[in-house]
Amino acid sequence: MKLLFCERNALMQHDMKEALTQLGIFYRCASYVFPNPDSDDYYCSHLRSFLNEDTYDAVFSFNFIPVIADVCHDMDLPYLCWTYDAGWEFQRTDALFYPTNYIFHFDKRACESYQKSGYRNIIHMPLAANCRRLDAMPVTDAIRQEYAAKITFLGSLYEKYAVTAPDFFSSLHPEDSAALMQYVETESADYKTHDLWDHMTDAMVARINDRSSMAQQISALTLITACASMIAGRQRKTMLNAVAGSFPLTLYSNSPSALVPDADYRWRAAYYSQMPYIFRYSTINLNLTIPSIQTGMPLRIFDILGAGGFLLTNEQEELSEHFRIGTDLETFHSLEELLEKTGFYLNHPDTAAQIARNGHEAVKNQFSFEKQLRKMFSLCGLPL
């Protein structure tokens, strides 16, 4: 099989290449960073040239790109993409209906919702970890010492919306803006499942647009993304300050350090060269899933478990379908439970280390890139 891999500014690309090589699949890369994934004549022209230079069985990218789908549809080529973001980064929806698409999405409930809405070619596929690469990373005493930490959180604090609302909220009817802000405040106190996608009904979005002063219509996805960012900003600020007020917290983030003043602030970390060590040598790794993800397991969960780190995360429905809670990883349902379990595992590091080893083996056995790619190709009717 021959595959054209459309590289872009996306995570997991190096691991994808390694997996393709391991599976004996010939691939060629077409690299490009999209200023506009909805329309790009320059890229379309070059992509056609790539595809005409050789015979390919399919085209692949991470996350769905309409301009790639356009070209593949015109040339009657299967277009496979693997989505690791909860929302789309484009505006066009017409390209989602092409019969040449095979859109693999990590969130099961999102897939079910899209399929009910008529997007028949969206297929559930959890993400993966390259444990072979992660296990082979060199280890020295200096590396252990550099990255050793009691509790670590790595990620954005969504500081832009942690206190204020997005700019477009000022164009909404005051009643609608107030109702959305009240919803955000209520949801910010909930560390369990959020109902963003159910809350933003078609009738509600239509009413908001009817009363808005904006010339452009606001989509449900825009509202969901905005509310999710506000909830995440408020929750992470509250959660991390609570942890840092009682325990030693190390924070890797490009968000301002002043948001969590009691944390040991380390700036952000490189995905391939630093993050695995951070996760492996932290007694506890915290994760808080952004609320726009419904039931799915975000990439950070695979990053931590794949690196051999102990994971303490909010509960996501799909976690218990694949992992043993309390044996492969640990979950919390409230701020109080988070603090309680943080204290427990800090006092029982050997228990945390055993759970980390169990979680690593579970990811290695169930979620290798090769295993997930075999499933994808089989579902698309593409022989290895």
Side-chain angles (χ1 to χ4, degrees):
M1 181 168 64
K2 291 184 179 179
L3 190 73
L4 183 65
F5 182 11
C6 294
E7 279 190 305
R8 46 194 301 270
N9 188 20
L11 300 174
M12 304 196 294
Q13 291 185 156
H14 295 310
D15 293 323
M16 174 69 176
K17 292 178 186 177
E18 184 177 320
L20 291 173
T21 300
Q22 288 290 325
L23 292 172
I25 296 173
F26 171 85
Y27 68 92
R28 183 182 180 187
C29 292
S31 301
Y32 190 69
V33 177
F34 287 90
N36 182 5
D38 290 307
S39 178
D40 194 320
D41 292 339
Y42 170 84
Y43 179 76
C44 287
S45 174
H46 280 265
L47 182 57
R48 290 178 190 278
S49 297
F50 267 104
L51 293 171
N52 284 322
E53 287 175 1
D54 203 344
T55 300
Y56 292 93
D57 296 291
V59 176
F60 178 90
S61 76
F62 282 109
N63 291 339
F64 183 77
I65 305 297
V67 294
I68 299 177
D70 289 339
V71 173
C72 290
H73 176 62
D74 291 342
M75 301 184 71
D76 196 27
L77 266 176
Y79 171 41
L80 286 63
C81 67
W82 199 359
T83 298
Y84 61 79
D85 284 331
W88 306 118
E89 56 183 304
F90 53 87
Q91 298 298 318
R92 286 176 53 198
T93 58
D94 60 297
L96 291 168
F97 290 97
Y98 293 148
T100 45
N101 293 338
Y102 294 91
I103 305 170
F104 294 95
H105 198 293
F106 74 101
D107 190 317
K108 180 186 290 186
R109 184 153 187 240
C111 290
E112 293 170 352
S113 298
Y114 289 129
Q115 289 164 359
K116 289 177 182 177
S117 299
Y119 303 107
R120 301 296 180 188
N121 47 2
I122 298 182
I123 307 160
H124 179 235
M125 185 62 61
L127 300 173
N130 184 358
C131 292
R132 181 176 52 252
R133 172 181 63 83
L134 294 165
D135 291 348
M137 291 182 68
V139 177
T140 64
D141 289 339
I143 287 173
R144 290 191 186 94
Q145 184 175 356
E146 180 179 359
Y147 294 108
K150 295 295 185 181
I151 309 164
T152 294
F153 180 84
L154 189 154
S156 172
L157 302 189
Y158 292 91
E159 67 277 2
K160 183 178 179 181
Y161 300 142
V163 178
T164 60
D167 293 340
F168 75 84
F169 268 46
S170 62
S171 300
L172 304 182
H173 189 281
E175 290 181 3
D176 295 328
S177 178
L180 287 170
M181 292 305 297
Q182 180 58 53
Y183 174 76
V184 165
E185 294 301 332
T186 301
E187 289 293 298
S188 296
D190 183 7
Y191 290 84
K192 299 179 184 178
T193 302
H194 298 274
D195 67 347
L196 275 167
W197 293 84
D198 295 328
H199 186 76
M200 302 298 175
T201 63
D202 291 341
M204 178 181 177
V205 174
R207 184 182 69 250
I208 289 174
N209 279 309
D210 287 343
R211 305 203 302 180
S212 169
S213 62
M214 292 182 66
Q216 186 178 357
Q217 293 281 291
I218 302 169
S219 68
L221 182 57
T222 298
L223 291 170
I224 289 168
T225 301
C227 289
S229 297
M230 286 191 285
I231 295 167
R234 285 158 170 76
Q235 285 189 328
R236 293 184 181 197
K237 183 179 179 182
T238 299
M239 178 186 83
L240 295 175
N241 276 290
V243 171
S246 301
F247 308 105
L249 172 68
T250 302
L251 176 61
Y252 290 86
S253 179
N254 58 357
S255 298
S257 60
L259 290 172
V260 191
D262 292 332
D264 178 8
Y265 186 73
R266 301 285 184 90
W267 190 229
R268 60 187 179 186
Y271 185 78
Y272 289 99
S273 61
Q274 293 179 296
M275 277 178 47
Y277 292 126
I278 292 168
F279 297 145
R280 184 182 302 174
Y281 296 117
S282 296
T283 303
I284 298 172
N285 293 282
L286 301 178
N287 175 66
L288 184 60
T289 306
I290 188 168
S292 51
I293 298 175
Q294 299 180 70
T295 62
M297 299 177 288
L299 181 58
R300 181 66 77 242
I301 285 174
F302 294 90
D303 291 335
I304 293 171
L305 297 179
F310 170 76
L311 171 64
L312 178 55
T313 179
N314 66 293
E315 186 174 3
Q316 290 289 109
E317 184 178 311
E318 292 179 45
L319 279 174
S320 60
E321 296 178 14
H322 302 283
F323 297 101
R324 299 166 296 173
I325 308 302
T327 300
D328 299 327
L329 52 86
E330 189 58 275
T331 60
F332 63 89
H333 305 82
S334 66
L335 187 59
E336 292 73 21
E337 187 180 11
L338 166 65
L339 295 174
E340 178 185 341
K341 289 188 174 180
T342 298
F344 174 82
Y345 285 108
L346 280 182
N347 290 326
H348 298 82
D350 291 343
T351 303
Q354 183 58 58
I355 292 174
R357 288 190 290 270
N358 296 340
H360 181 69
E361 285 301 310
V363 164
K364 183 188 295 186
N365 293 333
Q366 296 183 66
F367 297 107
S368 70
F369 275 83
E370 291 85 354
K371 180 170 286 189
Q372 300 304 76
L373 288 176
R374 286 191 186 98
K375 295 176 186 176
M376 289 186 198
F377 295 139
S378 175
L379 289 168
C380 297
L382 294 170
L384 289 175

